[in-house]
Amino acid sequence: MHTNRYQSMPDEEVVALARHGQSDATDYLIRRYRRFVETKASRFFMFGSEREDVVQEGMVGLFKAISSFKDEDQHRFRPFAELCVTRQIVSAVNAAQNHKHAVLTNATSLNTPVRPGVQDVVLEDTVADTRDLPSKLVEDKDLRERM
């Protein structure tokens, strides 16, 4: 590996080499920015995930920064990488937040008719043992309180 060679170069030049297919330049940048990504990731929590999952999202953002950085458009790589890493993490956190309530959002009510348009039979009527259903427990409690 030519890591010593890259240490004396500005990041923008190393990125240019990485974009031209030098995988050791990409590896160098990933190693160089790993701690930065870990620090950035430590400020976020992603529901249903471990810390390393957030770090991996940040690494995806770093890889996107390396592959899309254009020196003529952006003058410095580090602020661009920080923006890409942050956006990737925030997008992943928001996506995880949106799926947090999926069970409740996609739940089917027990009062849903078994056959559309026919209100006589609902899903609750098809359950074998209805004693422990929340609606029955509430009804039983109300009945006991009235007695």
Side-chain angles (χ1 to χ4, degrees):
M1 278 196 200
H2 305 285
T3 56
N4 291 338
R5 170 181 156 203
Y6 298 131
Q7 288 175 344
S8 62
M9 298 172 72
D11 287 346
E12 294 75 20
E13 288 181 25
V14 181
V15 170
L17 293 172
R19 291 195 65 216
H20 285 94
Q22 290 192 16
S23 60
D24 55 334
T26 303
D27 293 342
Y28 169 79
L29 288 165
I30 288 173
R31 280 192 314 280
R32 175 174 167 80
Y33 281 90
R34 171 81 185 192
R35 188 163 303 209
F36 164 76
V37 171
E38 289 173 345
T39 301
K40 183 64 81 172
S42 69
R43 298 180 186 142
F44 293 91
F45 172 76
M46 195 162 57
F47 182 80
S49 301
E50 296 179 16
R51 181 181 177 278
E52 186 60 27
D53 295 328
V54 181
V55 171
Q56 287 303 314
E57 287 295 334
M59 295 304 286
V60 168
L62 176 61
F63 189 76
K64 287 179 178 180
I66 293 168
S67 62
S68 63
F69 180 78
K70 294 184 178 110
D71 197 19
E72 56 275 2
D73 294 338
Q74 297 95 10
H75 299 289
R76 309 270 309 148
F77 177 70
R78 186 174 181 90
F80 180 71
E82 182 174 356
L83 179 67
C84 291
V85 167
T86 302
R87 284 183 177 172
Q88 184 68 35
I89 292 172
V90 167
S91 292
V93 168
N94 287 340
Q97 247 344 79
N98 291 340
H99 295 297
K100 180 170 80 172
H101 301 292
V103 172
L104 296 175
T105 304
N106 298 328
T108 302
S109 170
L110 291 175
N111 293 322
T112 302
V114 174
R115 285 184 285 165
V118 179
Q119 302 294 324
D120 295 345
V121 181
V122 294
L123 288 177
E124 184 176 16
D125 298 332
T126 65
V127 177
D129 184 3
T130 61
R131 288 177 293 174
D132 294 330
L133 288 174
S135 61
K136 292 296 181 191
L137 293 174
V138 170
E139 287 174 12
D140 292 346
K141 181 182 175 191
D142 289 344
L143 183 61
R144 281 192 307 266
E145 287 176 358
R146 281 189 247 146
M147 293 178 134

